[in-house]
Amino acid sequence: MKPFVVNRHGRLVFPANFLGDLDFSVLGTLEQFTAVIGRDFEAKAPTGSDIAARVESGAYSRRFELLRDLGQNLYWANRYSITMFDRRPTRWRDLAKRRDDVFLPVLTPWEDSERKVAAVEQAFRALPPTWDGQAEDTIFDLLFGLFRTKLYHATELPPIKPTVAEFLAQPDAMTFVMPSYDPDYPVFSTEQIMDAHEDVPELEALMRWAMVLHNQYPWDRSATELRGPDQIGEDDFVVAFHPRTRDVMAFIERVKRSQADGHPTTGGRAAARTLLEAVEPVTPYPPVRVREAFAVQPRFEALAIVRGEHVCSNADVIRNTSFSWSPMSADEIAAKTGIEQRCYTSREPEELALAAARAALARSGRSPAEIGAVLVSTCTSNRQIPSIACWLSGELGLLQTHASVDMVAACAGLPYGMSEAVRQLQEVARPVLLVCVEKFSDKIGSVRTSRMIFGDGAAAMVIGPAADGQAGDVEVLQTYASGPYSEVNSIIWPNSEFDGDITVYGPEVKALVQRYLTQMLGELGGQPDPDDQGRTLLESIELIIPHQANKTMILNLAGQAGLAADQLYFNVERMGNVSAASIPIAVYDAVRDGVITRPVRVFAPGFGAGAVGGYAVMRIDPAIVADEVVLDILPDADRSAAPAAAGSTSDDIRAAFGE
C-alpha cells in the first residue's frame, strides 16, 4: 500500500512519486530489476551529453524544460543508489573491509564535464522564467549544485555494487573520497519535502525532486574526488552504501547466487504469452430476462453512496509529477480522460462500505434482521479474512445471513453483484444488501495512467422482493468474462513489474471495451422490449449510465456504435473511475443532477480487467436515493488539521541555506 499524505498546506502528496522506493520482495531476478530501472529511470531521462547538445542547439525556450531535464538526469544518475542504498560517509580506517553488506560504488570519471556544466549554467541564466523566476532559481541552484559536482559517468553504473573487499581487489576502481565530513551537513527532512509549496503545480513537483536529490549527497561535494584503493588515506572519508532494507539485501544475495550458479532465472509478464489462442464459446450466452427466468422479482428499496473525503484535482496530480512521467498538464489530463478531479479516502474500504450500508438500510426502512444476504463487489479490498461482506454483517449486527461474500469483478462489479443478488432473492425471499466499494488511492504508486484515472468511493443498494404480481426493477442481466490474453491482463494489480502497483495497459483496455460494447448493443438490439413487443430493448432505453472509465474513450466508442452523446450520463469528471462503485455512484448523481426525475429505464454497461463485462437494464426511481453520507476529514497523522504556513518553499529554502 502506498497511501497519500495531506501536508500542512492541505494539499495531497504522493511520496511514491518522488522518493524512488521499490519493493524488492517482488523482484526475483536482475533482469526484472533492470527492466524496471530502464522504464522508470532511463527511458525518459536525458544524459548530460543530451542536455549539453540541447543547450547548444537552442532547444530550450524556457527554464522549465531545462530544469525538468536536469531533474530526470539526476534521478537516472542515482537510479541504483536511490532505490537500493543508504549513503553513509565513513572514515576509511573505520570502514568494515570484509562484510558482505557494506558496498562501495565503482565510478567512471565524467569526461569533458567542465564544458557541459558551464554551457548548462550559461543557458539557464539566459533563459526567461517559465512561471516564477525565484522558485525556478531555487530549484536550479539545488539541481545544478549536484549536476556540476557529479564527477562520474552515469551510463556505466553497475546495478550491484561491489563489497569493500571486492573494491580493494580492483586496482583501477575509483570511488567517492573526501578529506573531511560534517555530520551536520544540512539536508531536508521528510516533513519539509512533503510540505513543499509552490503556486505553480509543475514547480512544486520539481521542488520535491530537487530536495530528494539534494539529500542523496549529504556532504560537501565541492571537496569530493574520485580515487582508487591505493589513494585513500586512513583519515579520508568514503561513501559507504548500505542496503536500505532486508529485502534489498536478500535481492542482492539472490542475484549473486544466481550469477555464481550460472543459472539465472527469468520471469515477468511476457513469459505467460504462450497461452492458447482464445476461442468463442460453442454457443453464445444469452442475456437473462429476469421477469421470465425468476419467480421472485427484485425491487430497489434504497441507494446510498459515500465518496472519498479528499478531492484530488488534476493540479494535485501534476504537483506530484513523478520523474518517470512524460510532460503533461492538468488541462491535458482532462482532455485525455474527461476527468477533472477524483475523490480519495484516508479510511479503509470496509469503512466506506459500512457507512454506505447503514445509510441504505436507513433509507429502506429495513432492520438488519431482515437482510438475507450481504454481497460486496470490490477489487481493491485490503482484507481477505474476514471478507468485507462478512465483516459488514457483523458490524451491522446480523447474527446470521444466507450468504455474505465478496466478489472480484472489477469494473463489472455492479452487474455481477446484481446478478448474484437476484439469485439470492430466489432462495431467501428477503432483502439483499449489495455494496460496491473501491479504494485505489493507495495502490497506484507512481504510475501516471492509473493516477489520472482512479478514485475511491462506495455505494450500497437494498434489493428486496417485489410483492406478488408486482413488476420488478431489474429487467435484463448479463455478465461475461475472459478474452484474448492481452485483454484479460489489460489491468493488473498487484503488478510485480510496476512495484506491486495497479497498472493499466491502455490499448488493450480500449480493445476489450469496444468488443464488449459491440456485443452488448447487439444483444439489446436483438431482445424485444418486455413491455412493447413491437420495439427492441435497445430502442426502449431512456438513459445510458456506463461504467465511468474514461469519458473521452467511451464517447468515441459509443459514437462508433451509433449512440449519441446526449444518451449517456457521466460523472467521471468529478469522481474518476471507481471501478465496481462507478455505476451506482453515477446513478445516484444522475438523480441529484436532475437527469433522472421520474422512474426511467437505464442501461448500465460495465467492462474492465479480467476481462470482465456485463450490464443491467433496470428501472431507476429517484425515490430510492438516500441523503449523501459526508465523511469528516480525519485529523490524524496526515496533519490535515494543521494550519497552513505562509510563504513559499523557495523562500524557506533560501532562508534555511542563508541565501
Side-chain angles (χ1 to χ4, degrees):
M1 302 299 107
K2 297 178 180 176
F4 62 85
V5 172
V6 179
N7 68 15
R8 66 190 176 113
H9 302 284
R11 287 181 174 172
L12 299 183
V13 181
F14 314 139
N17 284 20
F18 48 83
L19 292 181
D21 293 333
L22 291 179
D23 181 1
F24 280 81
S25 68
V26 301
L27 294 172
T29 69
L30 183 61
E31 291 79 8
Q32 286 178 307
F33 174 54
T34 53
V36 170
I37 293 296
R39 181 194 65 226
D40 290 350
F41 288 81
E42 293 183 293
K44 299 180 178 69
T47 66
S49 297
D50 291 336
I51 294 174
R54 292 173 189 177
V55 164
E56 292 169 1
S57 67
Y60 298 111
S61 60
R62 299 260 173 186
R63 289 180 172 183
F64 174 71
E65 291 85 358
L66 176 54
L67 289 173
R68 199 177 193 285
D69 275 1
L70 282 174
Q72 286 190 313
N73 169 268
L74 290 166
Y75 267 104
W76 165 69
N78 290 276
R79 58 195 179 276
Y80 299 124
S81 56
I82 202 170
T83 53
M84 300 179 74
F85 299 103
D86 290 326
R87 303 183 183 195
R88 303 176 192 172
T90 307
R91 196 184 306 271
W92 182 249
R93 70 168 70 250
D94 299 326
L95 185 69
K97 306 297 194 298
R98 291 186 295 275
R99 286 177 52 171
D100 62 1
D101 61 347
V102 181
F103 305 86
L104 285 176
V106 172
L107 305 167
T108 301
W110 185 19
E111 302 295 341
D112 197 23
S113 61
E114 293 84 357
R115 179 186 64 82
K116 297 171 183 175
V117 165
V120 168
E121 182 173 25
Q122 182 179 2
F124 179 82
R125 303 301 181 196
L127 288 171
T130 308
W131 294 292
D132 182 333
Q134 178 178 327
E136 291 163 23
D137 283 342
T138 301
I139 294 167
F140 179 77
D141 290 345
L142 288 172
L143 294 175
F144 187 69
L146 303 177
F147 187 76
R148 67 183 174 85
T149 57
K150 190 174 62 174
L151 300 180
Y152 60 93
H153 195 58
T155 56
E156 300 178 13
L157 295 174
I160 304 298
K161 309 302 181 189
T163 63
V164 180
E166 290 167 340
F167 170 78
L168 289 170
Q170 302 177 54
D172 296 333
M174 305 183 78
T175 195
F176 290 122
V177 181
M178 62 196 80
S180 62
Y181 167 63
D182 177 8
D184 290 323
Y185 188 85
V187 294
F188 297 102
S189 68
T190 300
E191 185 173 14
Q192 287 175 314
I193 296 171
M194 301 301 175
D195 287 340
H197 178 81
E198 299 296 337
D199 292 335
V200 178
E202 287 84 351
L203 295 183
E204 187 167 310
L206 282 188
M207 187 67 75
R208 289 198 180 92
W209 292 13
M211 296 165 85
V212 169
L213 290 165
H214 169 86
N215 283 3
Q216 288 294 304
Y217 298 85
W219 60 80
D220 181 4
R221 297 177 292 271
S222 64
T224 306
E225 300 177 353
L226 297 184
R227 297 187 201 166
D230 59 352
Q231 299 172 311
I232 305 173
E234 288 294 303
D235 290 323
D236 287 332
F237 286 80
V238 296
V239 181
F241 281 30
H242 295 257
R244 299 181 67 180
T245 66
R246 285 180 291 181
D247 286 337
V248 171
M249 189 63 214
F251 171 77
I252 293 172
E253 291 171 345
R254 285 197 299 274
V255 170
K256 288 190 169 184
R257 200 161 47 240
S258 174
Q259 291 173 338
D261 294 342
H263 299 294
T265 57
T266 59
R269 189 169 180 253
R273 293 186 183 274
T274 55
L275 294 178
L276 295 175
E277 181 179 353
V279 296
E280 295 281 352
V282 290
T283 58
Y285 301 103
V288 178
R289 295 174 68 87
V290 175
R291 293 186 193 177
E292 302 163 15
F294 297 106
V296 180
Q297 294 299 297
R299 291 278 290 178
F300 297 146
E301 298 183 359
L303 169 63
I305 73 161
V306 178
R307 308 177 207 269
E309 66 274 17
H310 298 283
V311 172
C312 175
S313 67
N314 289 349
D316 290 320
V317 173
I318 300 304
R319 284 189 185 95
N320 288 276
T321 294
S322 169
F323 50 86
S324 63
W325 294 3
S326 299
M328 199 170 200
S329 69
D331 289 342
E332 288 170 334
I333 292 176
K336 188 176 182 66
T337 66
I339 300 169
E340 297 176 2
Q341 65 179 49
R342 65 288 296 147
C343 296
Y344 289 166
T345 184
S346 298
R347 292 167 168 82
E348 291 301 313
E350 59 265 29
E351 296 179 80
L352 298 185
L354 180 59
R358 284 174 170 160
L361 286 177
R363 180 65 179 179
S364 70
R366 298 287 190 174
S367 69
E370 296 177 84
I371 301 301
V374 178
L375 307 175
V376 173
S377 283
T378 183
C379 63
T380 55
S381 174
N382 296 336
R383 62 161 63 239
Q384 295 296 316
I385 302 175
S387 65
I388 292 181
C390 287
W391 181 86
L392 275 180
S393 301
E395 290 294 313
L396 292 171
L398 282 69
L399 181 61
Q400 190 174 69
T401 65
H402 183 56
S404 293
V405 63
D406 289 3
M407 293 170 288
V408 180
C411 303
L414 180 74
Y416 267 76
M418 196 167 289
S419 296
E420 182 58 27
V422 171
R423 285 190 284 266
Q424 288 289 328
L425 276 176
Q426 310 313 305
E427 299 178 11
V428 301
R430 66 188 75 180
V432 173
L433 175 64
L434 171 62
V435 181
C436 300
V437 60
E438 305 288 10
K439 179 179 180 179
F440 285 98
S441 58
D442 60 351
K443 301 167 183 69
I444 296 173
S446 60
V447 181
R448 189 190 69 185
T449 50
S450 303
R451 182 61 71 184
M452 292 191 304
I453 294 171
F454 291 110
D456 305 341
M461 300 184 77
V462 176
I463 306 173
D468 291 342
Q470 189 179 48
D473 289 326
V474 183
E475 297 177 337
V476 176
L477 289 167
Q478 177 65 293
T479 57
Y480 324 105
S482 199
Y485 169 86
S486 59
E487 293 180 16
V488 169
N489 292 278
S490 59
I491 305 176
I492 300 176
W493 178 71
N495 187 351
S496 61
E497 294 185 11
F498 280 82
D499 201 37
D501 302 325
I502 188 168
T503 315
V504 179
Y505 297 93
E508 288 86 353
V509 172
K510 183 177 180 180
L512 79 87
V513 173
Q514 187 166 27
R515 174 169 66 91
Y516 277 146
L517 190 59
T518 300
Q519 183 175 355
M520 293 172 183
L521 295 177
E523 290 178 357
L524 292 181
Q527 293 281 320
D529 178 352
D531 297 322
D532 182 353
Q533 296 297 308
R535 63 177 180 174
T536 67
L537 190 57
L538 181 59
E539 291 170 331
S540 75
I541 299 300
E542 297 176 87
L543 182 65
I544 302 173
I545 302 182
H547 163 53
Q548 307 287 301
N550 176 318
K551 185 175 181 179
T552 304
M553 177 187 71
I554 292 175
L555 282 174
N556 288 339
L557 294 177
Q560 294 172 23
L563 300 175
D566 60 6
Q567 293 178 268
L568 288 83
Y569 172 81
F570 291 94
N571 70 344
V572 69
E573 62 273 4
R574 57 184 184 272
M575 281 301 299
N577 178 341
V578 202
S579 194
S582 77
I583 292 175
I585 292 176
V587 169
Y588 184 100
D589 283 350
V591 173
R592 290 303 186 209
D593 288 348
V595 175
I596 297 177
T597 58
R598 56 174 178 80
V600 299
R601 181 175 280 164
V602 172
F603 166 47
F607 22 70
V612 293
Y615 59 86
V617 176
M618 53 190 177
R619 176 182 172 274
I620 297 296
D621 186 334
I624 67 172
V625 170
D627 291 337
E628 183 169 342
V629 179
V630 179
L631 300 176
D632 294 329
I633 294 177
L634 297 174
D636 54 14
D638 64 14
R639 299 179 293 140
S640 58
S648 68
T649 299
S650 53
D651 293 333
D652 297 338
I653 289 176
R654 291 187 176 277
F657 282 78
E659 298 180 2

